mmCIF file with all atom_site columns, all heavy atoms in Angstrom:
data_model
loop_
_atom_site.group_PDB
_atom_site.id
_atom_site.type_symbol
_atom_site.label_atom_id
_atom_site.label_alt_id
_atom_site.label_comp_id
_atom_site.label_asym_id
_atom_site.label_entity_id
_atom_site.label_seq_id
_atom_site.pdbx_PDB_ins_code
_atom_site.Cartn_x
_atom_site.Cartn_y
_atom_site.Cartn_z
_atom_site.occupancy
_atom_site.B_iso_or_equiv
_atom_site.pdbx_formal_charge
_atom_site.auth_seq_id
_atom_site.auth_comp_id
_atom_site.auth_asym_id
_atom_site.auth_atom_id
_atom_site.pdbx_PDB_model_num
ATOM 1  N N   . GLY B 1 83  ? 28.539 30.290 57.876 1.00 59.00 ? 83  GLY B N   1
ATOM 2  C CA  . GLY B 1 83  ? 28.994 29.505 56.727 1.00 59.00 ? 83  GLY B CA  1
ATOM 3  C C   . GLY B 1 83  ? 28.123 28.304 56.455 1.00 59.00 ? 83  GLY B C   1
ATOM 4  O O   . GLY B 1 83  ? 28.494 27.408 55.698 1.00 59.00 ? 83  GLY B O   1
ATOM 5  N N   . SER B 1 84  ? 26.944 28.249 57.077 1.00 59.00 ? 84  SER B N   1
ATOM 6  C CA  . SER B 1 84  ? 26.059 27.102 56.857 1.00 59.00 ? 84  SER B CA  1
ATOM 7  C C   . SER B 1 84  ? 25.448 27.148 55.469 1.00 59.00 ? 84  SER B C   1
ATOM 8  O O   . SER B 1 84  ? 25.094 26.122 54.911 1.00 59.00 ? 84  SER B O   1
ATOM 9  C CB  . SER B 1 84  ? 24.935 27.096 57.886 1.00 59.00 ? 84  SER B CB  1
ATOM 10 O OG  . SER B 1 84  ? 25.476 27.119 59.163 1.00 59.00 ? 84  SER B OG  1
ATOM 11 N N   . PHE B 1 85  ? 25.266 28.367 54.933 1.00 59.00 ? 85  PHE B N   1
ATOM 12 C CA  . PHE B 1 85  ? 24.692 28.513 53.598 1.00 59.00 ? 85  PHE B CA  1
ATOM 13 C C   . PHE B 1 85  ? 25.798 28.942 52.633 1.00 59.00 ? 85  PHE B C   1
ATOM 14 O O   . PHE B 1 85  ? 26.684 29.696 53.017 1.00 59.00 ? 85  PHE B O   1
ATOM 15 C CB  . PHE B 1 85  ? 23.595 29.590 53.595 1.00 59.00 ? 85  PHE B CB  1
ATOM 16 C CG  . PHE B 1 85  ? 22.334 29.141 54.280 1.00 59.00 ? 85  PHE B CG  1
ATOM 17 C CD1 . PHE B 1 85  ? 21.982 29.638 55.522 1.00 59.00 ? 85  PHE B CD1 1
ATOM 18 C CD2 . PHE B 1 85  ? 21.515 28.201 53.681 1.00 59.00 ? 85  PHE B CD2 1
ATOM 19 C CE1 . PHE B 1 85  ? 20.829 29.207 56.149 1.00 59.00 ? 85  PHE B CE1 1
ATOM 20 C CE2 . PHE B 1 85  ? 20.352 27.789 54.312 1.00 59.00 ? 85  PHE B CE2 1
ATOM 21 C CZ  . PHE B 1 85  ? 20.008 28.288 55.543 1.00 59.00 ? 85  PHE B CZ  1
ATOM 22 N N   . VAL B 1 97  ? 23.618 21.705 47.850 1.00 80.00 ? 97  VAL B N   1
ATOM 23 C CA  . VAL B 1 97  ? 24.423 21.547 49.068 1.00 80.00 ? 97  VAL B CA  1
ATOM 24 C C   . VAL B 1 97  ? 24.205 20.122 49.561 1.00 80.00 ? 97  VAL B C   1
ATOM 25 O O   . VAL B 1 97  ? 23.141 19.777 50.068 1.00 80.00 ? 97  VAL B O   1
ATOM 26 C CB  . VAL B 1 97  ? 23.988 22.576 50.150 1.00 80.00 ? 97  VAL B CB  1
ATOM 27 C CG1 . VAL B 1 97  ? 24.831 22.402 51.415 1.00 80.00 ? 97  VAL B CG1 1
ATOM 28 C CG2 . VAL B 1 97  ? 24.107 23.990 49.616 1.00 80.00 ? 97  VAL B CG2 1
ATOM 29 N N   . LEU B 1 98  ? 25.198 19.276 49.335 1.00 81.00 ? 98  LEU B N   1
ATOM 30 C CA  . LEU B 1 98  ? 25.037 17.864 49.709 1.00 81.00 ? 98  LEU B CA  1
ATOM 31 C C   . LEU B 1 98  ? 25.202 17.684 51.210 1.00 81.00 ? 98  LEU B C   1
ATOM 32 O O   . LEU B 1 98  ? 24.461 16.953 51.840 1.00 81.00 ? 98  LEU B O   1
ATOM 33 C CB  . LEU B 1 98  ? 26.053 16.997 48.952 1.00 81.00 ? 98  LEU B CB  1
ATOM 34 C CG  . LEU B 1 98  ? 25.923 17.037 47.422 1.00 81.00 ? 98  LEU B CG  1
ATOM 35 C CD1 . LEU B 1 98  ? 26.938 16.132 46.774 1.00 81.00 ? 98  LEU B CD1 1
ATOM 36 C CD2 . LEU B 1 98  ? 24.517 16.627 46.988 1.00 81.00 ? 98  LEU B CD2 1
ATOM 37 N N   . ASP B 1 99  ? 26.224 18.349 51.778 1.00 80.00 ? 99  ASP B N   1
ATOM 38 C CA  . ASP B 1 99  ? 26.366 18.391 53.235 1.00 80.00 ? 99  ASP B CA  1
ATOM 39 C C   . ASP B 1 99  ? 27.157 19.645 53.574 1.00 80.00 ? 99  ASP B C   1
ATOM 40 O O   . ASP B 1 99  ? 27.444 20.459 52.687 1.00 80.00 ? 99  ASP B O   1
ATOM 41 C CB  . ASP B 1 99  ? 27.003 17.093 53.777 1.00 80.00 ? 99  ASP B CB  1
ATOM 42 C CG  . ASP B 1 99  ? 28.371 16.827 53.174 1.00 80.00 ? 99  ASP B CG  1
ATOM 43 O OD1 . ASP B 1 99  ? 29.169 17.779 53.084 1.00 80.00 ? 99  ASP B OD1 1
ATOM 44 O OD2 . ASP B 1 99  ? 28.615 15.678 52.772 1.00 80.00 ? 99  ASP B OD2 1
ATOM 45 N N   . SER B 1 100 ? 27.525 19.810 54.841 1.00 76.00 ? 100 SER B N   1
ATOM 46 C CA  . SER B 1 100 ? 28.149 21.076 55.253 1.00 76.00 ? 100 SER B CA  1
ATOM 47 C C   . SER B 1 100 ? 29.490 21.315 54.554 1.00 76.00 ? 100 SER B C   1
ATOM 48 O O   . SER B 1 100 ? 29.955 22.443 54.471 1.00 76.00 ? 100 SER B O   1
ATOM 49 C CB  . SER B 1 100 ? 28.327 21.084 56.773 1.00 76.00 ? 100 SER B CB  1
ATOM 50 O OG  . SER B 1 100 ? 29.146 19.992 57.132 1.00 76.00 ? 100 SER B OG  1
ATOM 51 N N   . ARG B 1 101 ? 30.106 20.230 54.012 1.00 78.00 ? 101 ARG B N   1
ATOM 52 C CA  . ARG B 1 101 ? 31.425 20.432 53.384 1.00 78.00 ? 101 ARG B CA  1
ATOM 53 C C   . ARG B 1 101 ? 31.393 20.240 51.873 1.00 78.00 ? 101 ARG B C   1
ATOM 54 O O   . ARG B 1 101 ? 32.386 20.438 51.203 1.00 78.00 ? 101 ARG B O   1
ATOM 55 C CB  . ARG B 1 101 ? 32.427 19.447 54.009 1.00 78.00 ? 101 ARG B CB  1
ATOM 56 C CG  . ARG B 1 101 ? 32.776 19.834 55.448 1.00 78.00 ? 101 ARG B CG  1
ATOM 57 C CD  . ARG B 1 101 ? 33.889 18.987 56.005 1.00 78.00 ? 101 ARG B CD  1
ATOM 58 N NE  . ARG B 1 101 ? 33.563 17.568 55.933 1.00 78.00 ? 101 ARG B NE  1
ATOM 59 C CZ  . ARG B 1 101 ? 34.409 16.593 56.243 1.00 78.00 ? 101 ARG B CZ  1
ATOM 60 N NH1 . ARG B 1 101 ? 35.635 16.871 56.597 1.00 78.00 ? 101 ARG B NH1 1
ATOM 61 N NH2 . ARG B 1 101 ? 34.030 15.339 56.167 1.00 78.00 ? 101 ARG B NH2 1
ATOM 62 N N   . THR B 1 102 ? 30.263 19.794 51.346 1.00 82.00 ? 102 THR B N   1
ATOM 63 C CA  . THR B 1 102 ? 30.203 19.490 49.913 1.00 82.00 ? 102 THR B CA  1
ATOM 64 C C   . THR B 1 102 ? 29.100 20.300 49.243 1.00 82.00 ? 102 THR B C   1
ATOM 65 O O   . THR B 1 102 ? 27.928 20.129 49.567 1.00 82.00 ? 102 THR B O   1
ATOM 66 C CB  . THR B 1 102 ? 29.915 17.990 49.682 1.00 82.00 ? 102 THR B CB  1
ATOM 67 O OG1 . THR B 1 102 ? 30.719 17.234 50.555 1.00 82.00 ? 102 THR B OG1 1
ATOM 68 C CG2 . THR B 1 102 ? 30.163 17.606 48.225 1.00 82.00 ? 102 THR B CG2 1
ATOM 69 N N   . THR B 1 103 ? 29.474 21.184 48.371 1.00 80.00 ? 103 THR B N   1
ATOM 70 C CA  . THR B 1 103 ? 28.513 21.984 47.603 1.00 80.00 ? 103 THR B CA  1
ATOM 71 C C   . THR B 1 103 ? 28.804 21.767 46.119 1.00 80.00 ? 103 THR B C   1
ATOM 72 O O   . THR B 1 103 ? 29.957 21.836 45.706 1.00 80.00 ? 103 THR B O   1
ATOM 73 C CB  . THR B 1 103 ? 28.657 23.476 47.940 1.00 80.00 ? 103 THR B CB  1
ATOM 74 O OG1 . THR B 1 103 ? 28.565 23.619 49.355 1.00 80.00 ? 103 THR B OG1 1
ATOM 75 C CG2 . THR B 1 103 ? 27.560 24.301 47.278 1.00 80.00 ? 103 THR B CG2 1
#
Side-chain angles (χ1 to χ4, degrees):
Chain B
S84 305
F85 287 107
V97 180
L98 299 181
D99 58 44
S100 60
R101 289 188 304 174
T102 316
T103 307

